Amino acid sequence: MTRAADRLAALLAGHFAGNLPVRLRAWDGSEAGPPDAPVVVLRSRRALRRLVWQPGELGLAQAYIAGDLDIDGDLADGLSRVWRSLRAGGPAAAAPPGPRRLTGMAVTALRLGALGPRPPAPGAPRARLRGTLHSSARDRAAISHHYDLSNDWYALLLDESMAYSCGYWARPDDPSYGLADAQRDKLDLICRKLGLGPGARLLDIGCGWGSLSLYAAREFGARVTAVTLSREQHAHVTAVIEAEGLGDLVEAELRHYRQIRGGGYDAVCAIEMGEHVGDAQYPAFAARLHALLRPQGRALIQQMSRGSAAPGGGAFIESYIAPDMHMRPLGETIGLLEAGGLEVRSVEALREHYARTIAAWYRTLETRWEEFVALAGEPTARVWRLYLAGSGLAFTERRMGVDQILAVRPTPEGEAAMPPTPDGWSVGGARR
């Protein structure tokens, strides 16, 4: 009798370049594939049934979230091997399964006794948004799905500043230098690029848990308007403002960026918020940044980039992590900002910095796994394990990038009032 692992290996053999990139271990104890590779464990027939009902990336992710499928070994290594093998196999290997592949899956599942009704949902919250794409109400629901998981969750995952964006690893080879240092150096760099000083008016769009807003007020004496759509984030920032007596410098607003009032800001920043704006809405967003700034005011956009194949990050990310997100190549974003009236003066690539940042978050997740499970349940913890492992690989392998884009609103006469050299841009701020 043919063993389950051998049948599965035969089914998959045609979809990878060369040998299977991983070893398979099926529910009957059988194994197939290279002996030195990470082991994909199918704990029950239900793992295969999930793939029959939901072929492709999302079905695999749901099987992992539910615990029907697991990795015995390094998760990131397993994902990397699969991705490289699919890429080597050409477009056909990475394409969604066609009728022939689906038929083969169904026949294999039948022979292995894995056919049956659709398995239950894996237990982690899945985004199910309604309404017009990027309407204020739908954007609020999309932001809430990811950022309102709980402040306790993010406090456990992040450093004490609660910065949930790419750090700036100024001394990556220094063993005493860690995540908190990299986040502090990122916040400091942004404030200096923006030329902040005592009394400068900063608008922080998509402020998160307030790491930049609070740092700009504490260290540079800036007067900050911090804007978020997340109720959990707004509650956190408001509490810190009150606890630290920063009410005269920082104001936190719970509103959509399209509802921001006033203007004349000396500086505007959007730190990994532009990915949530939407493709069709980005030209208006760029024009809004221009309108909110005073002439010679500066904007800093820290934003992720991605090719056109999966601008939202793929089926798993769009379903379980960040619905309605849209990324594009860096050059297209620069073009949109300049079409909105801004003059781009500097672009700094931080791709490797993000790989290090995510690796630090991943280590925290693994080290404190039981605490994360206690907070949100094992399916949600497994969502985040898969999310962080996959995201780290995307930056390491150059499938995603992230950049700091510094821009200015020139006067009608073309005056930007920018320092003449990049050194001047990054040290132009004045601490109070």
Side-chain angles (χ1 to χ4, degrees):
M1 181 178 179
T2 305
R3 302 181 306 167
D6 293 323
R7 288 190 183 276
L8 294 170
L11 177 65
L12 295 172
H15 307 306
F16 295 101
N19 296 325
L20 285 178
V22 294
R23 186 167 180 82
L24 300 176
R25 181 185 301 150
W27 53 88
D28 63 355
S30 60
E31 295 190 14
D36 58 344
V39 179
V40 175
V41 182
L42 291 87
R43 300 195 180 282
S44 73
R45 292 176 173 84
R46 191 164 62 180
L48 182 55
R49 197 191 319 162
R50 287 188 184 278
L51 292 174
V52 172
W53 281 95
Q54 184 69 67
E57 174 189 322
L58 189 55
L60 283 168
Q62 289 176 337
Y64 180 80
I65 296 165
D68 299 325
L69 180 151
D70 219 329
I71 299 288
D72 185 2
D74 186 84
L75 176 59
D77 184 26
L79 293 174
S80 180
R81 290 186 187 221
V82 170
W83 173 256
R84 289 197 304 268
S85 186
L86 284 172
R87 187 168 50 193
R100 185 172 180 177
R101 285 173 64 185
L102 290 174
T103 300
M105 289 174 61
V107 169
T108 299
L110 176 64
R111 290 173 175 170
L112 293 174
L115 288 184
R118 179 186 289 270
R126 182 177 176 182
R128 299 188 184 277
L129 306 183
R130 297 179 180 179
T132 304
L133 183 64
H134 291 297
S135 64
S136 295
R138 181 170 171 132
D139 278 352
R140 186 172 292 108
I143 292 299
S144 179
H145 173 80
H146 187 55
Y147 298 99
D148 289 343
L149 176 58
S150 84
N151 286 342
D152 290 340
W153 175 278
Y154 287 99
L156 188 60
L157 182 72
L158 308 176
D159 72 292
E160 53 265 32
S161 76
M162 295 285 280
Y164 184 41
S165 56
C166 177
Y168 193 76
W169 296 77
R171 303 197 310 275
D173 298 325
D174 181 349
S176 67
Y177 185 93
L179 176 63
D181 302 299
Q183 293 294 9
R184 181 201 59 239
D185 286 345
K186 183 266 302 290
L187 300 175
D188 197 72
L189 179 64
I190 290 173
C191 290
R192 292 185 180 280
K193 283 184 174 181
L194 289 172
L196 298 183
R201 295 183 64 223
L202 168 65
L203 174 63
D204 186 1
I205 305 176
C207 67
W209 287 270
S211 59
L212 177 60
S213 295
L214 298 166
Y215 188 88
R218 292 189 199 110
E219 302 297 329
F220 288 81
R223 293 181 293 139
V224 187
T225 301
V227 179
T228 180
L229 262 181
S230 163
R231 295 187 182 278
E232 289 280 310
Q233 291 177 342
H234 181 261
H236 176 84
V237 177
T238 301
V240 176
I241 292 171
E242 182 176 355
E244 297 191 14
L246 292 172
D248 58 333
L249 289 178
V250 186
E251 179 184 8
E253 297 185 354
L254 182 65
R255 64 176 69 247
H256 199 284
Y257 76 87
R258 291 192 289 258
Q259 299 165 339
I260 295 172
R261 299 166 296 197
Y265 288 95
D266 299 299
V268 175
C269 61
I271 309 303
E272 297 179 26
M273 173 270 174
E275 298 88 339
H276 299 288
V277 168
D279 192 31
Q281 292 73 23
Y282 207 91
F285 174 70
R288 186 79 178 117
L289 296 177
H290 178 273
L292 288 163
L293 284 167
R294 64 165 175 82
Q296 300 181 347
R298 303 182 195 179
L300 190 139
I301 297 92
Q302 182 168 305
Q303 191 167 304
M304 289 177 276
S305 61
R306 194 176 176 100
S308 58
F316 163 64
I317 295 293
E318 293 162 36
S319 296
Y320 286 96
I321 298 295
D324 290 352
M325 187 168 66
H326 187 277
M327 296 168 283
R328 65 183 64 77
L330 169 64
E332 293 182 15
T333 295
I334 291 173
L336 290 169
L337 292 171
E338 295 207 318
L342 297 171
E343 181 182 13
V344 172
R345 302 296 298 252
S346 171
V347 178
E348 185 169 4
L350 304 180
R351 179 174 64 83
E352 292 88 351
H353 294 258
Y354 224 154
R356 294 188 182 99
T357 302
I358 294 172
W361 292 337
Y362 187 87
R363 286 193 297 271
T364 298
L365 180 73
E366 292 299 324
T367 301
R368 308 185 70 173
W369 179 255
E370 295 304 325
E371 295 174 73
F372 284 103
V373 170
L375 278 174
E378 186 167 352
T380 295
R382 291 175 73 87
V383 164
W384 276 76
R385 178 187 272 164
L386 187 59
Y387 162 51
L388 293 176
S391 297
L393 280 175
F395 287 102
T396 298
E397 298 179 354
R398 211 171 67 83
R399 286 178 277 119
M400 289 182 65
V402 64
D403 305 272
Q404 282 187 358
I405 306 168
L406 178 64
V408 65
R409 174 182 172 173
T411 67
E413 297 75 29
E415 297 174 356
M418 296 288 289
T421 67
D423 287 343
W425 298 347
S426 63
V427 299
R431 291 178 179 272
R432 65 173 181 176

